[in-house]
Amino acid sequence: MSGFLRDSSIVFRRQLRMNLRNPAWVIIGMLQPILYLLLFGPLLEPLIGQFGATNAYTFFVPGMLVQLGVFGAFFAGFSLIGEWREGVIEAERVTPASRTALLAGRLYRDLLQLFVQALILIGLGDLLGMDASPIGLVLGVLLTLLLGGACAAASNALALTTKSEDVMAPVINMVMLPVLLLSGILLPMAIGPAWLERASDFMPIRHVVDGVRASFAGDLASSGLLWGGLWSVVLFALALWWGTATFRRENA
Amino acid sequence: MIRARGLVQTFSTRQGRTKAEVRAVDGVDLDVEEGEVVGFLGPNGAGKTTTLRILTTLLRPTAGTATVAGYDVATQPQDVRRSIGYVSQAGGAFSGARAGDEVVDHGMLYGLPRSVVEKRGKELFEQLDLPGLWTRMPRNMSGGQKRRLDIVMGIVHDPTLVFLDEPTTGLDPQARANLWEHIRALRERRGATVLLTTHYLDEADALSDRIVIIDHGRIVASDTADNLKAQVAGDLVDLEVADPLRLADAAERLVRLVDDERSVEVVDGHVRARVPRAGRAVPGLLRELEASGITLESVEVRRPTLDDVFLALTGRSLRDADHAPGPDGAAAPPVPAGTPTGTPTTTEGALR
Ligand SMILES: Nc1ncnc2c1ncn2[C@@H]1O[C@H](COP(=O)(O)OP(=O)(O)OP(=O)(O)O)[C@@H](O)[C@H]1O
Ligand SMILES: [Mg+2]
């Protein structure tokens, strides 16, 4: 296990070093949560009464958080294709490092990015008047990290499977659309017609969004948090397994 | 050190609707002893890289077994990986990272402490003539510099078994000679075993204790360079006859030394043939010629080159596809026109 931690942190440091050298990555990453809050928040504020909630930011920040986590992570795999093309993945796979560590080190980077974005989002939301329970915040961020990790792992797996940006981009688009429309990320599904809400029951990410929302609101005993927690753990485990399998696969 | 039996690797490739199966490696047996330097020689697409990827645990063979450094590649890949170094044909340094960082990270994945890897990496940079490039990005290096960086990465953890896939492609003659020295030193100083692939006959000849020739996924020969040359072609004997009227007489004498009389050529006052063990046969031949009053302007006996061997085994010339000058800048010795290497079509008949 210590070997795993050491290997994955070597991979992590390498990835972080390369990303930090790219100022666009840093600036855009930090700007995203700010833009969401400043440009989208005011638009939603007047609607809040319709959702039966009182504080607009407590209600909307969870959705933005999940949105950041999911969408940022979906794109994580693209850089892997470039690395694969240059023989980096093969060079790593020929070392005795654990295959899971090769993936995990990359996930740490994505999770760190998401964590920093979450801190910015929550800090700024706080300034704008968000009123969330502290323990709910912690749990909500935890669920988001699990979900973001799952999406990043899936994205990496997809990258190593397709090995081509041209194939991967449309696939990601095709996945993102239903996620955006059926997860209630920005607007809760409860305001739509019943059939749409039923359809969204089949979208696992919707349950995670509900869970994060419930935990920010302080409903720690609610079934929403329970289901959200379960789904994020399940998704994370599945994606990690898939990602590891692609790194292990002989033909990668 | 390496023992492979019946390795087969098939790939299925899709071309439009039809699915084709490529047998990249088709029943390869390979043995490499500890401390040996083996040259793995074959034309493009012969299956060299695929074989190496099987032996380095990157590919699981469709069929067959292999033990590398005492471990089974299928069941103990982790132990195999710990024991080997691999420089792939494509290299492994990311173009947008710093060279030194890539070397250090790669070495650390073998479990070595940072300080050790860094020290050894910098030593190798000196030895492979990459001074001052430690912090440069590979995308800003020349092709040959990048290739040497790949090699540093592959051997930075000081493995005792090294796989080099076309290590010298893109290197200038001086860098090639330098790398040859280094590969020899790997064996001499550390007793390392080296399996290297190459298209360059002079390289395989100069560097390897043994040459394994692969074509269409099969091993077609495996022996020392000298044995290969002796076994296949025989030496080229070239007699320049002073009197054109005596050419036929001279040819008749030469025919007696060869198995196949069609292989005797008469061109431009020269009589040529491939003669097995020419060193023994030629003195007798010369005495005979002298006794029958045939005067020679010159006699030339040339040992076959590996290219002749390759041609005889596969029916194709390696050198046609891929010509490289020797490390000292001199090309292979010039071959007179009309001799086998120059004109493969006549040779094929001559060798068979
Ligand atoms: N992943 C793959 N999918 C399909 N076919 C492959 C794959 N890898 C190799 N091949 C095919 O297998 C054959 C052997 O390829 P390999 O790379 O082993 O040749 P090689 O001897 O290394 O050639 P070169 O000298 O050009 O490097 C080729 O016909 C190649 O097209
Ligand atoms: Mg190759």
Side-chain angles (χ1 to χ4, degrees):
Chain A
M1 197 60 200
S2 74
F4 175 84
L5 276 181
R6 185 175 180 277
D7 292 345
S8 56
S9 69
I10 293 169
V11 175
F12 167 62
R13 274 200 310 271
R14 175 173 177 279
Q15 293 293 330
L16 192 64
R17 198 191 302 126
M18 293 196 302
N19 276 322
L20 287 180
R21 203 170 287 144
N22 173 5
W25 184 79
V26 180
I27 293 170
I28 293 175
M30 306 228 285
L31 221 53
Q32 268 176 343
I34 300 174
L35 290 182
Y36 267 118
L37 266 186
L38 295 187
L39 300 185
F40 204 46
L43 208 62
L44 297 172
E45 232 168 330
L47 302 174
I48 190 66
Q50 295 180 25
F51 309 143
T54 45
N55 185 312
Y57 287 96
T58 316
F59 192 83
F60 289 120
V61 166
M64 295 176 190
L65 190 60
V66 173
Q67 163 111 355
L68 267 179
V70 170
F71 284 35
F74 270 154
F75 288 97
F78 279 99
S79 68
L80 195 65
I81 298 180
E83 288 193 279
W84 172 80
R85 200 167 283 133
E86 296 197 15
V88 175
I89 307 301
E90 183 149 303
E92 285 181 357
R93 271 163 31 87
V94 88
T95 70
S98 117
R99 314 290 100 161
T100 318
L102 300 181
L103 173 65
R106 292 175 163 86
L107 295 188
Y108 297 166
R109 170 208 53 192
D110 301 328
L111 291 177
L112 177 69
Q113 180 189 18
L114 180 53
F115 185 65
V116 171
Q117 290 182 324
L119 290 185
I120 295 174
L121 191 68
I122 290 171
L124 205 60
D126 229 34
L127 288 181
L128 292 173
M130 182 174 74
D131 176 25
S133 84
I135 187 148
L137 280 181
V138 173
L139 283 174
V141 170
L142 204 66
L143 290 199
T144 312
L145 287 177
L146 278 173
L147 182 65
C151 293
S155 173
N156 277 305
L158 190 65
L160 268 196
T161 308
T162 61
K163 297 185 183 111
S164 143
E165 290 92 349
D166 296 339
V167 179
M168 181 156 160
V171 174
I172 294 277
N173 268 328
M174 216 176 64
V175 174
M176 266 188 345
L177 198 65
V179 167
L180 182 70
L181 295 179
L182 289 179
S183 295
I185 279 185
L186 296 171
L187 299 176
M189 294 317 293
I191 65 172
W195 65 267
L196 197 60
E197 207 187 343
R198 284 292 77 73
S200 76
D201 283 345
F202 295 98
M203 171 56 66
I205 293 177
R206 193 209 119 178
H207 301 285
V208 182
V209 176
D210 287 349
V212 178
R213 212 163 257 155
S215 88
F216 269 49
D219 295 338
L220 298 186
S222 71
S223 69
L225 182 56
L226 181 68
W227 280 113
L230 273 179
W231 270 115
S232 50
V233 169
V234 167
L235 288 175
F236 185 72
L238 281 177
L240 199 62
W241 171 80
W242 183 29
T244 307
T246 56
F247 268 88
R248 180 167 292 144
R249 193 168 48 224
E250 283 74 21
N251 212 359
Chain B
M1 236 5 195
I2 301 176
R3 185 188 156 85
R5 287 293 171 270
L7 290 183
V8 174
Q9 185 73 51
T10 57
F11 294 110
S12 57
T13 51
R14 209 178 273 280
Q15 283 172 338
R17 294 253 172 100
T18 53
K19 230 172 146 185
E21 196 162 81
V22 184
R23 262 177 117 74
V25 173
D26 193 5
V28 162
D29 297 341
L30 185 68
D31 290 280
V32 177
E33 297 302 320
E34 191 165 345
E36 237 186 335
V37 177
V38 173
F40 205 32
L41 190 67
N44 289 136
K48 302 181 296 294
T49 299
T50 308
T51 307
L52 251 55
R53 294 185 71 216
I54 294 172
L55 296 176
T56 53
T57 76
L58 291 167
L59 270 178
R60 186 179 290 264
T62 314
T65 56
T67 45
V68 172
Y71 303 104
D72 189 301
V73 291
T75 57
Q76 301 162 298
Q78 201 77 351
D79 298 301
V80 173
R81 290 177 195 134
R82 242 188 288 280
S83 327
I84 62 170
Y86 175 50
V87 177
S88 78
Q89 194 169 352
F94 190 64
S95 58
R98 288 187 202 282
D101 290 340
E102 291 292 82
V103 171
V104 170
D105 284 343
H106 190 74
M108 285 177 73
L109 284 180
Y110 283 91
L112 298 171
R114 167 179 296 275
S115 56
V116 172
V117 187
E118 200 165 312
K119 179 162 168 291
R120 215 176 117 64
K122 287 188 168 157
E123 274 169 23
L124 284 170
F125 264 54
E126 287 303 319
Q127 287 169 13
L128 290 181
D129 212 13
L130 291 167
L133 298 186
W134 186 258
T135 54
R136 174 106 45 110
M137 286 187 187
R139 74 159 65 105
N140 301 330
M141 289 184 176
S142 80
Q145 290 168 337
K146 166 125 193 335
R147 196 67 193 134
R148 278 174 278 162
L149 169 64
D150 296 335
I151 290 160
V152 172
M153 272 178 77
I155 62 177
V156 69
H157 57 291
D158 215 354
T160 52
L161 172 56
V162 186
F163 295 88
L164 303 169
D165 200 352
E166 295 183 24
T168 57
T169 30
L171 297 192
D172 63 34
Q174 201 186 337
R176 224 150 79 91
N178 181 8
L179 185 62
W180 288 9
E181 279 311 309
H182 204 83
I183 292 172
R184 289 196 190 103
L186 274 180
R187 193 252 305 269
E188 268 143 38
R189 271 194 251 129
R190 285 182 245 279
T193 311
V194 181
L195 179 59
L196 67 104
T197 79
T198 179
H199 299 144
Y200 301 147
L201 296 151
D202 57 338
E203 184 163 292
D205 208 350
L207 220 46
S208 334
D209 304 318
R210 192 154 58 87
I211 292 173
V212 175
I213 299 179
I214 183 170
D215 191 34
H216 295 306
R218 293 167 186 272
I219 305 282
V220 292
S222 162
D223 214 328
T224 61
D226 281 342
N227 282 350
L228 281 176
K229 291 172 192 169
Q231 157 197 334
V232 186
D235 307 330
L236 184 77
V237 176
D238 183 313
L239 309 173
E240 190 180 351
V241 184
D243 180 358
L245 297 175
R246 306 299 304 273
L247 270 172
D249 284 344
E252 193 189 321
R253 296 276 144 58
L254 195 51
V255 164
R256 293 181 202 155
L257 300 180
V258 300
D259 309 328
D260 180 358
E261 59 185 73
R262 280 169 305 165
S263 69
V264 178
E265 286 181 299
V266 183
V267 189
D268 278 351
H270 287 257
V271 180
R272 296 195 191 98
R274 289 211 169 265
V275 177
R277 299 177 184 279
R280 273 197 210 164
V282 166
L285 172 70
L286 293 181
R287 276 196 299 275
E288 255 180 72
L289 289 170
E290 200 175 351
S292 29
I294 301 171
T295 323
L296 300 178
E297 289 288 330
S298 69
V299 180
E300 199 185 319
V301 178
R302 190 166 61 78
R303 301 273 291 139
T305 64
L306 270 180
D307 194 35
D308 301 334
V309 173
F310 193 83
L311 189 62
L313 287 170
T314 67
R316 277 172 295 147
S317 172
L318 251 186
R319 210 172 274 284
D320 283 348
D322 218 322
H323 181 87
D328 53 3
V335 181
T339 52
T341 351
T343 48
T345 37
T346 54
T347 331
E348 247 180 287
L351 288 171
R352 275 165 188 206

